[in-house]
Amino acid sequence: MAEPILINGRFLTQPLSGVQRYAREIVRALDRLPHAGLRYRLMVPSGADPLPLDRIQTFRLSGPGGHLWEQVRLADATHSHRLLSLCGAGPVGHSRQLVVIHDAAVFRRPDLFRPRYALAHRILDRRLAKRARLATVSRFSQGELAAVLNLAPDAIAVAPNSADHLRNIPPDTHILRALDLLERRYFVAVGNLTPNKNLAVAARALIRLPDPDLRLVFVGARLTGVVSAAPTPDDPRVILAGRRTDPEVAALLRGAAGLIFPSLYEGFGIPPLEAMVQGCPVIASDIPATREVCADAAR
């Protein structure tokens, strides 16, 4: 029997955004495969969140997570096995590894990040490109990463995101009452409050609309540890809803007049697909990733 493939579970210690969503859904999909329990093992730090799985076993390695755990503890435990790292990082010395790097933002838009974070990840990406096999989530990111890492595009596999996690989920409509959105027209923007999401432009657009009952709902958290601070919109019609559950997000999208997705740079961009599976119109920025993902289905 072939040796199992070990999965880097560091993502289960990180706040949930598109990258961590991708990792969770890929592992859940692998778990549904026949004989998954024999083929895969999920390796996680001590403080990792639980990820319920039916077939794949979870093994805890001591340590709280973070780069040190990944580069030392995980590297030591997996050096003789194949390793799958789904969230843009992995042990730099591990040669039998597939790493999914979701975009080239630290190279193309370093102004969006804290300088030390951007520099560290540029170094990490270059070292991984020399040792590991790479994958990414779109043809656009494939081309971007190939250019900045001096690789042939065909050397980088493409495994796209999806929005299946919201396709059949029952909406929690209590959120509409909690945010005072019943009988109101509102738009939604889904994404952590970081500069690349460009949510300030949506707030400026709202100012140009005189309707006092109109609302713009921002769903997402501030991730100040890795990115520069994004300004908070100064308009009483803007609702900062914070992180919300999938059923709450589904309800917000079903009732919205549209999703606003004005990102400056994306490797893929999941929220437009999440909106589409809930029947919500999408207004998206005209950038390569959204053109690839949305084609002519967005405005």
Side-chain angles (χ1 to χ4, degrees):
M1 184 177 298
E3 63 173 332
I5 298 171
L6 306 184
I7 302 171
N8 180 352
R10 179 186 164 202
F11 64 89
L12 291 170
T13 66
Q14 299 169 331
L16 182 64
S17 63
V19 172
Q20 291 75 29
R21 169 76 72 184
Y22 177 88
R24 287 170 180 261
E25 297 305 321
I26 289 289
V27 174
R28 288 188 177 117
L30 293 174
D31 186 55
R32 294 192 292 270
L33 295 175
H35 310 299
L38 300 176
R39 297 176 59 191
Y40 301 98
R41 300 285 187 274
L42 179 62
M43 316 299 288
V44 303
S46 300
D49 293 336
L51 182 66
L53 299 169
D54 293 326
R55 297 181 176 90
I56 297 175
Q57 289 182 286
T58 298
F59 292 86
R60 293 191 179 271
L61 300 175
S62 60
H67 281 295
L68 187 61
W69 176 87
E70 190 171 59
Q71 298 300 328
V72 178
R73 188 72 180 92
L74 180 68
D76 181 64
T78 64
H79 73 277
S80 62
H81 292 79
R82 291 176 293 170
L83 180 64
L84 175 60
S85 295
L86 295 162
C87 285
V92 293
H94 202 306
S95 60
R96 302 179 66 200
Q97 177 182 202
L98 174 67
V99 182
V100 181
I101 300 178
H102 291 246
D103 58 55
V106 293
F107 295 93
R108 298 303 201 193
R109 292 300 308 266
D111 56 300
L112 300 175
F113 300 89
R114 294 190 180 277
R116 290 178 61 183
Y117 176 90
L119 175 61
H121 273 268
R122 289 196 298 271
I123 294 172
L124 177 64
D125 289 355
R126 290 188 177 111
R127 290 184 176 177
L128 288 171
K130 292 179 178 179
R131 296 282 293 177
R133 176 74 192 275
L134 300 186
T136 191
V137 293
S138 66
R139 293 294 175 190
F140 168 69
S141 282
Q142 182 190 48
E144 290 277 270
L145 290 169
V148 299
L149 298 174
N150 195 28
L151 297 171
D154 289 348
I156 304 173
V158 177
N161 289 278
S162 184
D164 291 346
H165 54 280
L166 281 193
R167 186 176 300 278
N168 298 312
I169 197 164
D172 182 358
T173 56
H174 291 93
I175 188 63
L176 303 180
R177 184 178 301 279
L179 298 180
D180 191 24
L181 296 174
L182 293 174
E183 309 301 327
R184 289 188 189 274
R185 188 166 182 257
Y186 66 91
F187 290 86
V188 175
V190 177
N192 292 317
L193 302 181
T194 55
N196 72 297
K197 299 303 181 184
N198 198 26
L199 297 179
V201 80
R204 291 200 301 272
L206 180 67
I207 293 172
R208 301 170 69 175
L209 301 175
D211 184 353
D213 290 325
L214 187 64
R215 295 291 183 269
L216 176 59
V217 183
F218 288 158
V219 178
R222 291 186 178 277
L223 299 180
T224 56
V226 298
V227 295
S228 305
T232 301
D234 184 19
D235 190 313
R237 296 175 297 167
V238 173
I239 299 173
L240 300 178
R243 292 191 184 277
R244 293 291 166 175
T245 66
D246 286 351
E248 289 173 331
V249 172
L252 287 168
L253 291 173
R254 288 191 184 189
L259 172 83
I260 311 296
F261 193 70
S263 286
L264 297 170
Y265 187 94
E266 293 284 343
F268 186 92
I270 300 176
L273 296 187
E274 293 177 324
M276 289 175 189
V277 300
Q278 296 298 327
C280 178
V282 174
I283 302 172
S285 54
D286 186 12
I287 58 176
T290 54
R291 286 199 297 270
E292 178 180 340
V293 171
C294 299
D296 59 356
R299 299 174 184 173

